[in-house]
Every structure is written in C-alpha cells, then in structure tokens.
Amino acid sequence: MTDPYKVLNIAPTASDDEVKHAYRELARKYHPDNYHDNPLADLAQEKMKEINEAYEQIQKQRKAGAAYTASSSAQSYSYGDAAYSNASANPVMQRVRMAINNGDISMAERLLNETQEHDAEWNFLMGVVCSRRGWMDDAKRCLETACRMDPGNVEYRQALQMLQNTASYRPAGYHRGGTMTYDDTCMRLCAGLACYSTTGCPIFCCI
Amino acid sequence: MFGYVRPAAQHLDEAERQRFRSAYCGLCHTLGRRYGFFARWLLNFDFTLLAVLLSLGTPTTSRCQRCVAHPCRGCDAMNASPALDAAADRSVVLAWWQLQDHIADHGVWKSIPYRLAALLYRGAYRKARALVPDFDAAVQRHLRELDERERARCASLDAAAEPFAALLSEIASAEPDETRRRIFAQLFYHLGRWIYLIDAADDFKADAKSGNYNPLRCRYEIEGDTLPDEVKSALGETLDASIRQMAGAYALLNAGEWTAVLDSIFYDSLYGIGKAVLSGVYRKQKRRIRRTKEEPI
C-alpha cells in the first residue's frame, strides 16, 4: 500500500491540523464540481478515492490505542455524468438519451443530426452532447434555446445552471475571477529571451 | 497563431523563472541540433509549454550552453530529452504546413517571402515528416478541415476551433502511457481551442480591415471593427470554460519540480493573457516588455 502521507503530500510529522488542511485542499482540487461533464471524471474519482483512503488511514494510525470508530470525516462524493434518464415521449429522443447515458456521444450526435424537428428537447440533448465534447459555446446556445422554448422545464434549467457553474480549483494566493474580471494592473508576464527579433535576426544579448 | 502562453512572473521566484527559461533555451537548442540553424526561428512559447508537459515524470537536467544569441556567457538550457525532441519535430511539421497555407492564401507577389521561407525549411520538414509521419498526415487533414470551415464562414465558435484543437490534441499520441495520453489529449484540445479563440480576438481588427474570415464576426454578427462589450464578456466566459478544462486535466498530472511554473500558467496567466487580448493591450504590452526588458527571462 502506498504511503498515506505521500498521497497527501505531507511529512509524517505533520500535525493533525496540517493533515486536515492538506486533505481539504486536495478534496477541493478533485471535487466533482470541477469535473462535471468532463471525460476525465473517472480519473478524478480515482484520485479522490486514494485521498480519502489515505486520510482515513492516517486517522486510524493516529487514533491507534484509543478505540477507533471509522470516522466519516472523509466525505464521499458522487462523480460521473448526470443521468439523462427522464422518459421521453419521442422514441428517437429516448434513444439519444440512452446513447448519452452509455457514453456513446457520436451515436447521440448522429441521431440528433438525422432529426428534422428541432424542439426544446432536441436543443437540450444537443446542448448535453456539445458540453460532453468540450464545445462550451454551442452547448450554452442550445441549452438557452431549450430553456426559452420550454421555460417551465426543470431538467433544462438545471443543465444550463451546471454549465454556467464556474467552480474551479485554484491554490491559495491565486485570484478567483475569470478572464474578464482579471485584475491586470499587477500582471507581469515572463517575457521571452527575445533572442530573435520578429524579423528573425538574432539579437546579441550578452555582448 | 502561436506564442501566447507564458507563465505569470508575479507568482514565480528567480529560480522558477530560470527553470522555464531553461526549457525555452533547451527547445531552441534541440531545434538547432536536429534541424539546422534556421529552425531555431520556429521556437515559440506554446511549444515550450508542450515540451514541459510531455517531460513531466522524467527528471530533467540542464547545463550552460552557448548560442548565437548568447555567445559569451551562454545560458542554462535543458538537456536533450525525448519530450524536447517530440516538441521540436512537431513544431517543424506544423510550421511547414502553416507556411504552405500562407502561400496558398496570398497572391504571386505577396507570397514570395513565404516561398523563400519554404525553400529554407524544405530539408527540415522532410526530416521531420520521416520521423513523425502520422502527425504530418493529421496536420494536413485538420488544416484542410479548418480551411473548409473558414471558407464556409462557419458561425459556430466551437466548430471553427475544432480542427485546430484536434490538431494540438494529436500531440498527445507521443505519450506511451494510456492514462497520461487521455489527460494530455484533453489538455491539448482545450489549449488549442483557447489559442484559436484568443487569436481570433487578437486579429479581429485586422480581419475587419482585410475582410478575412473571423469566427467572432460570424458568431456574434458584428458590424464594425471593434468587439462590443457584451461579446467580450461572452467570449471571456467560453475562454474560462476551456481554462477550467485545462486546469482539471493538469490537476491529474504529477507536475513535480514544474509545479510552480505550471500552476502560474493554468491558474493565473491564461486568464491574464485573455484579459489583455480582449482589452486590446496585449500587443502593446508585448512591445513594452521587449523595449524596456522589464521582465527578461
């Protein structure tokens, strides 16, 4: 079994608080919210399992002697893509939902492209397919259309909310905003060596 | 199209900046060694990042090496490694096909500089093609697809960005480990998508003047030569989505000694570069850095 301290990236001499802090930081990093509709969700889930096991093991070791009760301080998270199992009146859309749930995105896309009528459900499912492929702008466009066509539908609204969820992990000390809210007054990029100017002529830097 | 991705200096100490510089110099030396002096001009930051990512997991070493730009003092450059070789081979192939694209896009007279450059790089390209034939075929396929979509004035940002994103994603196939290949494929796809969209925003004014295709104009139906504020914020959102996907993939890699450099890229500078491009200060900033040598790495 791998060293639990190595998994949490701390020294075996770390205090209880440090262990907890390291665990929480990693749990934040691999949180399912960061991997929604992400093809790497299964790998994040594996990481989270490793971290949970390491944390439990350290707790167990530290409480050895005292009666140990399996503490549930390590949280369990649910990963994986949302299930699109709502029944559909349209048999083709039902097949699309099944294809999405089986992870067969190209099949779902083919079925959608063959459909003539683009109703709210079609837009919703197309949005889900786009989101799985990383086509975020098209996904947003389709889900917005679905919500506009059927404003009362909870499933469509939730999918749009999930897409607009901007949760993401950043280590302490990094800003939390996005591109448009970035404070660029303090931004300094590492410039190049500028060994070659744009015309391609070498610049002699150290003569 | 290349050269946007650089670490944000404010999160790095001198040793970390030096580390990134050594990768940059290492790639330059690798290009020179494998493909001759002129291939060094193909060096760019984005391929430096790719080389760093591909090298994760194998310890890297560096030593002081001299070059034309640093003939006396020399500079610390990463030693030859399979990751640097992979990045060098692929940047030669990609540069060659981008050159061919320019030749096709320009008239007889205007294409003369590109034709001369093609003459200069013919030998390098032939050598690279023999080393990475699959990548060469993939680049041709994806660039053809990109050309078709641009000619059809594609109004979807994602469909327009797909060929370039898929092209960068092909670089992941250099990785032998299955899990890491999956992670790289996802990371490089969104890096490609981000670069394509940033480039479209950066070129918006120039494209408006020349009448060239620009995906942002078609997607948001913009008249005039400036990006309206609501388009900027919509574009910012979709760029953020790609950065989050990259950061999610990066978190699954063990970055080891490169943690500080890569953290500063995926958690900070990509946002900052996006902001600089969208607010129109990016090119100016680049010039200012070059002129005053504010933050030489």
Side-chain angles (χ1 to χ4, degrees), chain B residues 137-210:
Chain B
V139 169
Q140 290 184 58
R141 196 175 67 241
H142 291 306
L143 288 182
R144 220 173 15 245
E145 215 174 310
L146 182 65
D147 189 54
E148 275 165 24
R149 290 184 191 192
E150 292 192 343
R151 270 176 215 286
R153 307 238 144 204
C154 174
S156 152
L157 291 185
D158 295 304
E162 162 88 11
F164 190 72
L167 187 161
L168 274 206
S169 179
E170 293 280 346
I171 296 176
S173 56
E175 171 61 44
D177 179 73
E178 160 77 29
T179 307
R180 273 165 57 106
R181 196 163 52 237
R182 273 184 63 201
I183 297 171
F184 284 147
Q186 166 80 353
L187 205 166
F188 296 165
Y189 182 92
H190 281 280
L191 182 64
R193 182 179 183 268
W194 183 87
I195 292 175
Y196 184 84
L197 294 178
I198 278 287
D199 194 54
D202 205 11
D203 287 346
F204 188 78
K205 209 170 213 158
D207 288 343
K209 232 178 240 166
S210 64

Side-chain angles (χ1 to χ4, degrees), chain A residues 170 175 177-183, chain B residues 194 198 232 235-241 243 270-276 278:
Chain A
R170 319 259 172 99
H175 75 112
T179 298
M180 284 319 281
T181 52
Y182 188 90
D183 176 15
Chain B
W194 183 87
I198 278 287
K232 281 183 190 171
L235 184 60
E237 264 178 46
T238 207
L239 288 171
D240 287 352
I243 301 174
L270 289 173
Y271 294 101
I273 294 162
K275 175 74 182 283
L278 288 182

Side-chain angles (χ1 to χ4, degrees), chain A residues 34 165-171 174-189, chain B residues 4-8 10-11 191 194 198 232-233 235-248 250 262-282 285:
Chain A
N34 302 339
N165 165 24
T166 53
S168 68
Y169 165 79
R170 319 259 172 99
Y174 283 91
H175 75 112
R176 305 256 154 246
T179 298
M180 284 319 281
T181 52
Y182 188 90
D183 176 15
D184 51 2
T185 49
C186 59
M187 159 112 154
R188 288 181 304 137
L189 284 178
Chain B
Y4 288 101
V5 186
R6 283 180 282 172
Q10 68 263 29
H11 290 288
L191 182 64
W194 183 87
I198 278 287
K232 281 183 190 171
S233 65
L235 184 60
E237 264 178 46
T238 207
L239 288 171
D240 287 352
S242 269
I243 301 174
R244 282 199 299 275
Q245 298 280 331
M246 280 188 252
Y250 160 65
L262 294 174
D263 273 7
S264 91
I265 291 179
F266 292 114
Y267 299 131
D268 193 299
S269 71
L270 289 173
Y271 294 101
I273 294 162
K275 175 74 182 283
V277 169
L278 288 182
S279 46
V281 300
Y282 181 76
Q285 191 178 34

Side-chain angles (χ1 to χ4, degrees), chain A residues 148-167:
Chain A
R148 220 177 18 250
M149 291 169 96
D150 186 357
N153 192 304
V154 182
E155 190 185 24
Y156 304 169
R157 225 177 32 238
Q158 271 175 353
L160 183 60
Q161 269 166 6
M162 281 309 276
L163 190 77
Q164 288 170 329
N165 165 24
T166 53

Side-chain angles (χ1 to χ4, degrees), chain A residues 14-178:
Chain A
S15 70
D16 285 355
D17 276 350
E18 281 165 347
V19 173
K20 198 180 243 172
H21 180 77
Y23 166 74
R24 284 203 179 140
E25 185 72 8
L26 288 171
R28 215 157 56 78
K29 193 170 179 177
Y30 300 110
H31 194 276
D33 279 356
N34 302 339
Y35 293 91
H36 176 70
D37 265 349
N38 188 314
L40 304 176
D42 57 320
L43 298 177
Q45 185 173 18
E46 257 171 54
K47 278 265 187 200
M48 189 64 113
K49 203 171 142 231
E50 254 176 54
I51 295 158
N52 278 336
E53 281 170 4
Y55 186 59
E56 293 259 354
Q57 201 186 338
I58 292 173
Q59 295 237 312
K60 211 185 227 168
Q61 283 170 3
R62 293 195 171 191
K63 283 184 184 163
Y68 174 74
T69 47
S71 94
S72 54
S73 40
Q75 296 163 36
S76 72
Y77 295 101
S78 77
Y79 283 82
D81 305 314
Y84 298 99
S85 49
N86 283 10
S88 172
N90 181 333
V92 180
M93 293 300 127
Q94 192 59 41
R95 280 175 64 203
V96 172
R97 281 172 186 269
M98 269 168 64
I100 292 175
N101 284 338
N102 294 335
D104 192 351
I105 297 302
S106 29
M107 164 82 153
E109 195 181 11
R110 215 189 53 238
L111 287 168
L112 286 168
N113 283 333
E114 284 167 1
T115 310
Q116 298 294 323
E117 195 198 344
H118 295 179
D119 58 0
E121 189 177 20
W122 184 92
N123 275 292
F124 161 68
L125 292 172
M126 196 55 160
V128 173
V129 165
C130 286
S131 162
R132 290 278 168 93
R133 294 183 57 180
W135 287 35
M136 307 307 180
D137 188 55
D138 280 5
K140 188 168 160 242
R141 203 155 39 158
C142 288
L143 291 177
E144 277 172 353
T145 309
C147 289
R148 220 177 18 250
M149 291 169 96
D150 186 357
N153 192 304
V154 182
E155 190 185 24
Y156 304 169
R157 225 177 32 238
Q158 271 175 353
L160 183 60
Q161 269 166 6
M162 281 309 276
L163 190 77
Q164 288 170 329
N165 165 24
T166 53
S168 68
Y169 165 79
R170 319 259 172 99
Y174 283 91
H175 75 112
R176 305 256 154 246

Side-chain angles (χ1 to χ4, degrees), chain B residues 35 92-93 96 118 121-133 136:
Chain B
Y35 296 106
V92 170
V93 169
W96 171 263
Y121 290 117
R122 185 181 296 270
Y125 163 67
R126 286 192 177 154
K127 192 175 166 195
R129 181 182 59 186
L131 290 168
V132 284
D136 180 57

